[in-house]
Amino acid sequence: MSLSRARRCAGPSRRDFLQVGAIGGLGLTLPGFLGMQAAARADQVHFETVEGPAKGVIYIYLPGGLAQQESWDPKPLAPAEYRGPLGSIKTKVPGAEFGATFPKMASIVDKCVVLRGFTHGEAAHERGTHNMFTGYRPSPALKFPSMGSVVAHEFEPKNNLPQYVCVPGQPNEFAGTGYLSSSYAPFTVGGDPASSGFKVRDLSLPGGVDEARFTRRRRLLDAVNDHFAATESADSLDAVGTFYDRAYGLIGNPKAREAFDLDKEDDKTRDRYGRNQAGARMLLARRLVEAGSRFVTLTYGGWDMHDKIADGIKRNGPELDQALSTLINDLDERGLLDSTLVCVGTEFGRTPKINATAGRDHWAKVFSVLMAGGGLKRGVIHGSSDATASEPDTDPVTVMDWAATVYDRLGIKAEKELMAPGGRPIEIVDGGSPIQAILA
């Protein structure tokens, strides 16, 4: 069990500026965490959150809108203008086929859940992305927190690691803290793990600062902090102090720093995932959840294929197929799949019919989301779309249902209320229920 504590950021104080100055020589910027806003945030209502079967989440987001017909829900019996040019292949689940570009995923679908009746009706990129990062439809009246920020809000850090990490960076504005304090913002690695010589910024001590000097500066900072804590009572001091405690804990703990170091993996593992963007990002995500991060979001590819969809899928699909299948197998082999929830999402699907430029346009009436592990059953195709992938046919799944399922597997009550600005109680998920048919 872990209990998060409420905090309020009331604005920058003398202590804020002294702290920044005191450790500025260390280069401690820690992107995301140093985005703590000066604007006041409402107090958050906290209750004990009990861990569920999922100890961590890897959320693989495919921006642009992955076509369900070319991936997890092909229609081999539909007319050619609907089924598309790439064909389909059988999977390990009897009667279920995948797009022909995903043979490795087809071979391990017996470890997965596929939601084929996913629907939300938002066919604009920004609105669909908002749905898939927050579990809420967009509202002009309130900025909702991402699921990763809610998870960071509900659990204390483990092993000095950030609770919420975005790889390679925060992918969009909806992946942020919303109405929550910006102390729950994601830590971003600040570069592409597939790049030669990749290093996570701000995790190494700068030249001329050894461990002993680092410790002395920390003690000096603690003394300054203690002085102001004794003379000032603003809640913001506690919030800023907590941030620096966590930042120092990350930099000062070699094991925590090593979680971000892909060089600790052997060549065989690197090759197995693929020495490319998809492989490096998913391998880093595995290392982070294995070490103690709760929610890791990563993006891969561009799936907004209005033109020549066959070329686009052939260009992006094989790397995704290799890396994703390896990630699921690797977690399973390490005994981590049952405690790690893998989600593969996208903002919407694509139109049932191939268009005049050999692509597919936006379509949010029905699409597919793939999941694995984290307290879910294995080998389940849940729900279906109709014969042309135009709309749900059986067991439709809403964004709220899906978000409630993710939170449920972590042990978070979706109906729990957090406090938005002005003291307004807001449920973590407004409506929706965990999808009982897929829960182990």
Side-chain angles (χ1 to χ4, degrees):
M1 295 187 181
S2 65
L3 180 63
S4 299
R5 292 177 296 170
R7 310 199 192 283
R8 170 176 292 178
C9 295
S13 67
R14 288 182 292 157
R15 182 171 182 261
D16 295 16
F17 295 111
L18 281 170
Q19 285 180 317
V20 172
I23 63 175
L26 293 177
L28 186 61
T29 59
L30 293 178
F33 284 161
L34 280 184
M36 295 185 72
Q37 303 298 314
R41 298 288 189 179
D43 288 332
Q44 306 302 319
V45 176
H46 287 257
F47 304 95
E48 285 193 58
T49 294
V50 181
E51 283 189 341
K55 313 305 179 190
V57 174
I58 297 175
Y59 184 21
I60 299 159
Y61 192 70
L62 307 177
L66 173 67
Q68 64 275 20
Q69 302 92 334
E70 274 69 46
S71 57
W72 321 131
D73 189 16
K75 298 297 178 182
L77 302 180
E81 63 270 26
Y82 289 91
R83 70 174 178 263
L86 294 178
S88 61
I89 52 175
K90 295 184 183 300
T91 73
K92 272 198 171 181
V93 173
E97 298 192 12
F98 273 5
T101 315
F102 298 94
K104 293 182 172 63
M105 284 303 300
S107 72
I108 66 156
V109 72
D110 57 326
K111 299 181 181 183
C112 303
V113 170
V114 182
L115 306 176
R116 281 184 167 174
F118 209 98
T119 181
H120 62 55
E122 298 284 358
H125 286 293
E126 294 79 8
R127 295 181 69 85
T129 300
H130 183 283
N131 285 355
M132 298 302 292
F133 274 84
T134 68
Y136 268 86
R137 294 186 66 181
S139 167
L142 191 62
K143 189 173 182 180
F144 294 99
S146 65
M147 290 192 289
S149 289
V150 171
V151 170
H153 177 275
E154 292 300 299
F155 292 102
E156 291 293 333
K158 293 191 299 184
N159 304 330
N160 291 310
L161 280 162
Q163 291 293 80
Y164 176 27
V165 183
C166 285
V167 180
Q170 183 172 320
N172 53 69
E173 62 180 303
F174 312 120
T177 60
Y179 61 73
L180 294 177
S181 164
S182 53
S183 57
Y184 304 113
F187 177 77
T188 60
V189 301
D192 192 339
S195 300
S196 176
F198 165 73
K199 296 291 182 184
V200 179
R201 60 189 179 191
D202 304 317
L203 293 192
S204 300
L205 296 177
V209 180
D210 58 17
E211 295 289 346
R213 188 178 178 189
F214 177 81
T215 300
R216 289 196 301 272
R217 288 190 177 186
R218 172 63 198 263
R219 289 172 180 166
L220 176 61
L221 175 61
D222 285 342
V224 174
N225 289 346
D226 289 343
H227 167 74
F228 281 104
T231 58
E232 299 186 25
S233 60
D235 290 341
S236 60
L237 300 186
D238 192 26
V240 175
T242 295
F243 156 68
Y244 282 112
D245 285 342
R246 293 175 181 175
Y248 266 109
L250 177 58
I251 290 179
N253 188 319
K255 289 185 177 180
R257 296 201 306 265
E258 284 180 6
F260 292 88
D261 189 357
L262 291 183
D263 289 339
K264 300 298 181 183
E265 297 287 341
D266 59 38
D267 287 342
K268 182 179 179 180
T269 301
R270 297 290 300 273
D271 292 339
R272 185 182 175 195
Y273 274 83
R275 293 180 181 268
N276 49 51
Q277 283 189 352
R281 293 176 187 187
M282 292 189 204
L283 178 54
L284 179 56
R286 189 222 78 203
R287 289 184 61 82
L288 289 169
V289 296
E290 187 175 30
S293 290
R294 294 273 185 182
F295 201 103
V296 180
T297 291
L298 67 93
T299 57
Y300 169 69
W303 305 87
D304 192 23
M305 299 174 184
H306 293 274
D307 307 311
K308 298 180 180 179
I309 193 168
D311 293 345
I313 294 291
K314 288 177 182 178
R315 183 171 56 251
N316 288 274
E319 290 186 6
L320 175 63
D321 186 47
Q322 177 180 350
L324 179 57
S325 59
T326 299
L327 171 66
I328 292 170
N329 278 330
D330 194 14
L331 288 168
D332 204 20
E333 292 160 9
R334 292 169 179 268
L336 294 172
L337 185 57
D338 288 338
S339 60
T340 305
L341 182 60
V342 179
C343 300
V344 184
T346 190
E347 58 257 52
F348 42 58
R350 313 303 294 188
T351 47
K353 193 173 182 179
I354 295 288
N355 64 23
T357 55
R360 297 186 192 267
D361 301 314
H362 301 178
W363 192 258
K365 287 185 178 181
V366 68
F367 57 107
S368 296
V369 167
L370 186 142
M371 305 173 76
L376 300 183
K377 293 177 180 178
R378 297 186 177 209
V380 176
I381 307 296
H382 180 75
S384 64
S385 62
D386 65 10
T388 56
S390 300
E391 59 185 355
D393 189 26
T394 63
D395 297 317
V397 171
T398 69
V399 171
M400 293 78 75
D401 294 329
W402 172 69
T405 302
V406 173
Y407 286 128
D408 175 82
R409 296 297 81 189
L410 285 163
I412 297 172
K413 300 295 185 183
E415 64 271 21
K416 176 179 173 179
E417 293 180 341
L418 306 180
M419 290 299 169
R424 177 184 174 190
I426 303 292
E427 290 183 338
I428 290 176
V429 179
D430 185 12
S433 300
I435 308 164
Q436 296 298 324
I438 70 173
L439 305 184

